[in-house]
Amino acid sequence: MSDHITEIIIFTFLFLLVSGMGFVASRWRRPKDMAHLDEWGLGGRSFGGWITWFLVGGDLYTAYTFVAVPALIFGAGAAGFFAVPYTVIIYPLFFLILIRLWSVSHRHGFVTPADFVRSRFDSPTLALVIAITGIVATMPYIALQLIGIEAVLKTMGVTGESAFARHLPIIIAFAILAAYTYQSGLRAPALIAFVKDTLIYIVILVAVLWLPYKLGGWGAIFDAADAKFQASPSPNDGILLNANNQVQYFTLALGSALALFLYPHSITGVLASKNRDVIKRNMSALPAYSFLLGLIALLGYMAIAAGVKPLPGASPGSVDNNTVVPLLFDQQFPAWFTGVAFAAIGIGALVPAAIMSIAAANLFTRNIYKEYLRKDATHAQEANVAKITSLVVKVGAVACIVFLDPQFSIDLQLIGGVIILQTAPAVVIGLYTRWLHRGALMAGWAAGMGLGFWMLWQIPNAATGRKHFGGSAFPLSEFGFDTQKTIYVGFVTVLVNLLVAALVTLVLRAAKTPEGTDHTAPDDYLADEGDPRIERHRDETAVETPSST
């Protein structure tokens, strides 16, 4: 640890600085009454263009992105670049969807996507299913942010012999996160996101300019990567895709794109925007983060050229590829800059983890607590329950890291993507049509989930020796095809979900099964700032300061 004193000091200083900002955030754009879910959980629904851009970008591009995408490139090559096209695909796709969700949510005061489903399909049961699905899918995602911090701490030598000593710094970091999220709500990650994204942009731009010069140029970097993968025993590794992994690549990219903005934390950031134009501008500007992601991914090849050797993993004989980026910075940059880079990764975990815990808390409060436990809950009671739930969610995330193998946490997040995709028919298609029957949506969800868990059960993890739930790449040979190709589980299951929902809808319509009452109106999906019903809702939780940047 003595060799990393400068890194530890800078990392700790910047970490504590943004933590202080998290506590101060409760006074930033101060509301008249913080004891309201709109204020604590959605920042007053008043964020403008710049705040939303940093918030949503900080929400989607996380500490795990910073370490795991290059780690995948380092380990497998071109297959890891799926993360770049899927973040490009998603923005035009959701440009048309999220503005409709914003409008109907602001008119009716919806806080979660399950609120919308409840009103649209007149089904508290379907809303409950959507809420539970969102919470379950989000939990491992929060845990993954801790893996990013853990990779940095391991590189700096901040570890201990016992499990408790090894995880103590992470426990302390999340205790601080829990405290300022409890106090400031969504305002905390919104304010910290400015610092987090600025640091990451600086670190990455310096790295992609300096490292190629130091390592002999891009030609030498790609030659080193190609030489490594030529010697790999896996037929799927290489700097180019091959016939075995092309299907997995495009289905994973498309499926991940569909899942990305279905996650509750993504929708939370969007619903905090003050109007439709903010969302439109952000869907146009957020691809700038995809450019940054492409540069981040290339760090994996740079680590190969630099001869980085990953630190040992949790399992005997394994290695932790998530440490390759921290090690690359540790070996190639002066200690002060490495400390800044490590702080960028650490802070990059705080923003998404805070938003994710808030989103999960909103789901529990609105769609479980208020719907089933206390229908007459006041705004103050809702806010208090959400605060407590956010603490419980963070404790659960820490428990995942402490008691589970880190690789299993990564696999759980991949499973989470498959799970959240099953909400697409109710949320996404429901924004445009109510043709699908509420009972059919439940049947489709059940079919997609059942098939998904069956497929995931068949997937082993060769690195850890685990026979089941080892990822999301399903071998097509299990379906009887004579091939080594794999396909993304989520892509198959959401198609089955839609097919079952459509067929069951026809059956239920023929049986004249009641469909409930749609509590939304066509013009709800086009409402914007200035609409009397939206402004009346805002007046109930007005902020004291001007509404946006």
Side-chain angles (χ1 to χ4, degrees):
M1 184 186 299
S2 59
D3 296 335
H4 302 282
I5 293 298
T6 302
E7 297 169 3
I8 294 171
I9 291 173
I10 293 175
F11 174 87
T12 304
F13 172 76
L14 290 174
F15 196 92
L16 292 177
L17 176 64
V18 298
S19 298
M21 291 175 62
F23 288 105
V24 171
S26 63
R27 299 179 178 275
W28 175 57
R29 303 163 59 85
R30 186 179 180 86
K32 290 180 179 177
D33 184 9
M34 196 69 172
H36 195 295
L37 208 54
D38 274 12
E39 292 295 345
W40 184 85
L42 290 179
R45 301 181 186 258
S46 62
F47 291 161
W50 280 109
I51 298 174
T52 302
W53 191 74
F54 279 105
L55 179 66
V56 176
D59 190 8
L60 302 180
Y61 298 89
T62 68
Y64 180 66
T65 305
F66 202 129
V67 299
V69 171
L72 185 56
I73 301 293
F74 177 89
F81 279 101
F82 83 93
V84 179
Y86 100 66
T87 58
V88 175
I89 294 169
I90 186 63
Y91 298 116
L93 183 65
F94 276 87
F95 182 95
L96 300 175
I97 295 171
L98 293 179
I99 55 175
R100 291 178 67 86
L101 180 60
W102 182 94
S103 292
V104 69
S105 297
H106 277 238
R107 247 204 184 179
H108 290 268
F110 299 152
V111 175
T112 70
D115 283 347
F116 161 71
V117 170
R118 168 72 168 86
S119 185
R120 178 67 152 163
F121 295 100
D122 196 18
S123 175
T125 304
L126 180 59
L128 176 65
V129 166
I130 298 297
I132 293 175
T133 303
I135 294 170
V136 171
T138 301
M139 284 291 292
Y141 216 148
I142 301 173
L144 283 193
Q145 306 317 308
L146 298 177
I147 289 181
I149 299 178
E150 190 170 53
V152 167
L153 295 176
K154 285 174 68 174
T155 304
M156 292 191 296
V158 185
T159 58
E161 295 298 326
S162 67
F164 178 78
R166 186 168 65 252
H167 295 297
L168 182 59
I170 293 179
I171 295 172
I172 294 172
F174 254 56
I176 296 171
L177 169 67
Y180 67 65
T181 304
Y182 184 93
Q183 176 177 314
S184 304
L186 194 64
R187 285 173 171 80
L191 186 58
I192 294 173
F194 284 93
V195 178
K196 172 249 185 187
D197 290 352
T198 301
L199 284 176
I200 287 181
Y201 266 104
I202 292 172
V203 168
I204 294 304
L205 290 177
V206 169
V208 298
L209 291 174
W210 170 249
L211 288 175
Y213 168 77
K214 191 173 182 181
L215 297 173
W218 286 107
I221 291 173
F222 281 103
D223 286 345
D226 188 45
K228 175 191 174 182
F229 295 128
Q230 290 288 348
S232 172
S234 172
N236 294 327
D237 293 351
I239 61 172
L240 296 175
L241 296 174
N242 57 51
N244 289 329
N245 56 21
Q246 288 174 354
V247 173
Q248 171 69 15
Y249 184 89
F250 87 78
T251 56
L252 180 57
L254 183 56
S256 298
L258 290 170
L260 187 61
F261 271 103
L262 286 170
Y263 276 105
H265 56 278
S266 303
I267 293 176
T268 295
V270 169
L271 295 186
S273 306
K274 73 168 185 174
N275 58 38
R276 288 162 62 100
D277 282 345
V278 167
I279 301 172
K280 292 176 182 178
R281 290 196 300 270
N282 272 276
M283 290 303 106
S284 301
L286 279 169
Y289 278 98
S290 298
F291 169 73
L292 181 67
L293 180 61
L295 300 180
I296 291 173
L298 290 172
L299 294 176
Y301 287 159
M302 296 180 199
I304 294 174
V308 171
K309 302 297 182 184
L311 294 176
S315 303
S318 66
V319 295
D320 184 2
N321 279 351
N322 289 320
T323 61
V324 296
V325 168
L327 286 169
L328 176 65
F329 280 94
D330 186 53
Q331 295 172 12
Q332 300 296 323
F333 287 98
W336 68 267
F337 186 81
T338 302
V340 173
F342 288 174
I345 297 174
I347 296 168
L350 298 182
V351 173
I355 304 171
M356 290 169 192
S357 65
I358 290 169
N362 289 345
L363 282 167
F364 175 83
T365 302
R366 290 299 293 264
N367 307 115
I368 298 177
Y369 174 75
K370 187 174 177 65
E371 183 71 49
Y372 291 96
L373 303 178
R374 190 161 188 175
K375 291 183 178 293
D376 61 347
T378 64
H379 291 308
Q381 288 169 337
E382 283 186 348
N384 190 52
V385 169
K387 291 178 180 180
I388 295 172
T389 304
S390 73
L391 298 179
V392 173
V393 168
K394 293 183 186 71
V395 171
V398 172
C400 288
I401 294 299
V402 173
F403 297 109
L404 296 179
D405 185 305
Q407 180 58 49
F408 189 45
S409 296
I410 295 172
D411 293 337
L412 281 177
Q413 194 277 325
L414 295 173
I415 294 170
V418 175
I419 292 173
I420 200 65
L421 269 172
Q422 308 316 314
T423 66
V427 177
V428 176
I429 296 178
L431 285 167
Y432 280 91
T433 177
R434 200 172 177 267
W435 183 80
L436 292 171
H437 194 284
R438 57 186 180 180
L441 288 169
M442 291 282 292
W445 175 88
M449 292 291 281
L451 177 63
F453 277 102
W454 176 81
M455 294 174 70
L456 292 165
W457 176 260
Q458 309 300 318
I459 301 173
N461 188 306
T464 62
R466 195 170 61 252
K467 296 181 179 179
H468 308 290
F469 295 114
S472 59
F474 185 80
L476 286 174
S477 58
E478 292 288 339
F479 284 144
F481 295 98
D482 184 18
T483 179
Q484 292 183 333
K485 295 178 181 179
T486 58
I487 192 169
Y488 177 51
V489 172
F491 184 81
V492 176
T493 56
V494 76
L495 291 179
V496 170
N497 184 336
L498 284 168
L499 178 61
V500 171
L503 293 176
V504 176
T505 292
L506 295 175
V507 172
L508 295 178
R509 287 259 165 78
K512 297 182 179 180
T513 305
E515 300 182 42
T517 302
D518 184 0
H519 297 286
T520 69
D523 64 337
D524 287 345
Y525 299 89
L526 304 174
D528 201 354
E529 186 180 30
D531 179 276
R533 288 171 61 181
I534 290 178
E535 295 306 316
R536 185 166 59 250
H537 177 74
R538 284 183 177 176
D539 287 342
E540 297 175 359
T541 54
V543 295
E544 295 176 350
T545 54
S547 62
S548 84
T549 298

